[in-house]
Coordinates of all heavy atoms in Angstrom, one line a residue:
G861 N 0.8 -1.2 0.0 CA 0.0 0.0 0.0 C 0.8 1.3 0.0 O 0.2 2.4 -0.1
I862 N 2.2 1.2 0.1 CA 3.0 2.4 0.2 C 2.9 3.2 -1.1 O 3.0 4.4 -1.1 CB 4.4 2.0 0.6 CG1 5.2 3.3 1.1 CG2 5.2 1.4 -0.6 CD1 4.7 3.7 2.5
R863 N 2.8 2.5 -2.2 CA 2.8 3.2 -3.5 C 1.5 4.0 -3.6 O 1.5 5.2 -4.1 CB 2.8 2.2 -4.7 CG 3.0 2.8 -6.0 CD 3.1 1.8 -7.2 NE 3.3 2.5 -8.4 CZ 4.5 2.7 -9.0 NH1 5.6 2.3 -8.3 NH2 4.6 3.3 -10.1
A864 N 0.4 3.5 -3.1 CA -0.9 4.2 -3.2 C -0.8 5.5 -2.3 O -1.3 6.5 -2.6 CB -2.0 3.3 -2.8
R865 N -0.1 5.3 -1.1 CA 0.0 6.5 -0.2 C 0.9 7.6 -0.9 O 0.6 8.7 -0.7 CB 0.7 6.0 1.1 CG -0.1 4.9 1.8 CD 0.3 4.7 3.2 NE -0.1 5.8 4.1 CZ 0.1 5.8 5.4 NH1 0.8 4.8 6.0 NH2 -0.3 6.8 6.1
F866 N 1.9 7.2 -1.6 CA 2.7 8.2 -2.3 C 1.9 8.9 -3.4 O 2.1 10.1 -3.6 CB 4.0 7.6 -2.8 CG 5.0 7.1 -1.8 CD1 5.8 6.1 -2.0 CD2 5.1 7.8 -0.6 CE1 6.7 5.7 -1.0 CE2 6.0 7.5 0.4 CZ 6.8 6.4 0.2
S867 N 1.0 8.2 -4.0 CA 0.2 8.8 -5.0 C -0.8 9.8 -4.4 O -1.0 10.9 -4.9 CB -0.6 7.7 -5.7 OG 0.2 6.8 -6.4
T868 N -1.3 9.4 -3.2 CA -2.1 10.3 -2.4 C -1.4 11.6 -2.1 O -1.9 12.7 -2.2 CB -2.6 9.7 -1.2 OG1 -3.4 8.5 -1.5 CG2 -3.5 10.6 -0.4
L869 N -0.1 11.5 -1.6 CA 0.7 12.6 -1.2 C 1.0 13.5 -2.5 O 1.0 14.7 -2.4 CB 2.0 12.2 -0.6 CG 1.9 11.5 0.8 CD1 3.2 10.9 1.2 CD2 1.4 12.6 1.8
R870 N 1.2 12.8 -3.6 CA 1.4 13.6 -4.8 C 0.2 14.4 -5.2 O 0.4 15.6 -5.7 CB 1.8 12.6 -6.0 CG 2.4 13.3 -7.2 CD 2.9 12.2 -8.2 NE 3.9 11.4 -7.6 CZ 3.7 10.1 -7.3 NH1 2.6 9.5 -7.6 NH2 4.7 9.4 -6.8
A871 N -1.0 13.9 -5.0 CA -2.2 14.6 -5.3 C -2.4 15.8 -4.4 O -3.0 16.8 -4.7 CB -3.4 13.7 -5.2
M872 N -1.7 15.8 -3.2 CA -1.8 16.9 -2.3 C -0.7 17.9 -2.6 O -0.6 18.9 -1.9 CB -1.6 16.3 -0.8 CG -2.7 15.4 -0.4 SD -2.2 14.4 1.0 CE -1.5 15.6 2.2
G873 N 0.1 17.6 -3.6 CA 1.2 18.6 -3.9 C 2.4 18.4 -3.1 O 3.3 19.3 -3.0
I874 N 2.6 17.2 -2.5 CA 3.8 16.9 -1.6 C 4.7 16.0 -2.4 O 4.3 14.9 -2.9 CB 3.3 16.2 -0.3 CG1 2.5 17.2 0.5 CG2 4.6 15.8 0.5 CD1 1.9 16.5 1.8
K875 N 6.0 16.4 -2.5 CA 7.0 15.6 -3.1 C 7.6 14.7 -2.2 O 8.0 15.0 -1.0 CB 8.1 16.6 -3.7 CG 9.2 15.8 -4.5 CD 10.2 16.8 -5.1 CE 11.3 16.1 -5.8 NZ 12.2 17.1 -6.4
T876 N 7.8 13.4 -2.5 CA 8.4 12.4 -1.7 C 9.8 12.1 -2.2 O 10.0 11.9 -3.4 CB 7.6 11.1 -1.6 OG1 7.3 10.7 -3.0 CG2 6.2 11.3 -0.9
V877 N 10.8 12.0 -1.2 CA 12.2 11.8 -1.6 C 12.6 10.6 -0.7 O 12.6 10.7 0.5 CB 13.0 13.0 -1.4 CG1 14.5 12.7 -1.7 CG2 12.5 14.2 -2.2
M878 N 13.1 9.5 -1.3 CA 13.6 8.4 -0.6 C 15.1 8.6 -0.3 O 15.9 9.0 -1.2 CB 13.5 7.1 -1.4 CG 13.9 5.9 -0.7 SD 13.8 4.4 -1.7 CE 15.3 4.7 -2.8
V879 N 15.5 8.4 1.0 CA 16.9 8.6 1.4 C 17.4 7.2 1.7 O 16.9 6.5 2.6 CB 17.0 9.6 2.6 CG1 18.4 9.7 3.0 CG2 16.4 10.9 2.2
T880 N 18.6 6.8 1.1 CA 19.1 5.5 1.3 C 20.6 5.5 1.2 O 21.2 6.4 0.5 CB 18.5 4.5 0.3 OG1 19.1 3.2 0.5 CG2 18.7 4.9 -1.1
G881 N 21.3 4.6 1.8 CA 22.7 4.4 1.7 C 23.1 3.5 0.5 O 24.2 3.3 0.2
D882 N 22.1 3.0 -0.2 CA 22.3 2.1 -1.3 C 23.0 2.9 -2.5 O 23.0 4.1 -2.5 CB 21.0 1.5 -1.9 CG 20.4 0.5 -0.9 OD1 21.2 -0.1 -0.1 OD2 19.2 0.4 -1.0
N883 N 23.6 2.1 -3.4 CA 24.2 2.7 -4.6 C 23.1 3.3 -5.5 O 21.9 2.9 -5.4 CB 25.1 1.7 -5.3 CG 24.3 0.5 -5.8 OD1 23.5 0.7 -6.8 ND2 24.5 -0.6 -5.2
P884 N 23.4 4.2 -6.4 CA 22.4 4.8 -7.2 C 21.5 3.9 -8.0 O 20.3 4.1 -8.2 CB 23.2 5.8 -8.1 CG 24.4 6.1 -7.3 CD 24.7 4.9 -6.6
L885 N 22.2 2.8 -8.5 CA 21.5 1.8 -9.3 C 20.4 1.1 -8.5 O 19.2 1.0 -8.9 CB 22.5 0.8 -9.9 CG 22.0 -0.1 -11.0 CD1 21.7 0.7 -12.3 CD2 23.0 -1.2 -11.3
T886 N 20.8 0.6 -7.3 CA 19.8 0.0 -6.4 C 18.7 1.0 -6.0 O 17.5 0.6 -6.0 CB 20.5 -0.6 -5.2 OG1 21.5 -1.6 -5.7 CG2 19.5 -1.3 -4.3
A887 N 19.1 2.2 -5.6 CA 18.2 3.2 -5.1 C 17.1 3.5 -6.2 O 15.9 3.6 -5.9 CB 18.9 4.4 -4.7
A888 N 17.6 3.6 -7.5 CA 16.7 4.0 -8.6 C 15.6 2.9 -8.8 O 14.5 3.2 -9.0 CB 17.5 4.2 -9.9
A889 N 16.0 1.6 -8.7 CA 15.1 0.5 -8.8 C 14.0 0.5 -7.8 O 12.8 0.3 -8.0 CB 15.9 -0.8 -8.9
I890 N 14.4 0.7 -6.5 CA 13.5 0.7 -5.4 C 12.6 1.9 -5.5 O 11.4 1.8 -5.2 CB 14.2 0.6 -4.0 CG1 15.0 -0.7 -3.9 CG2 13.3 0.8 -2.9 CD1 15.8 -0.8 -2.7

């Protein structure tokens, strides 16, 4: 359900940014 929640936040005009220690390739996929 996390994807749907992010869609809801996007509809509210809120930008979501994932912060991770992974490498860029892994981070982009997730």
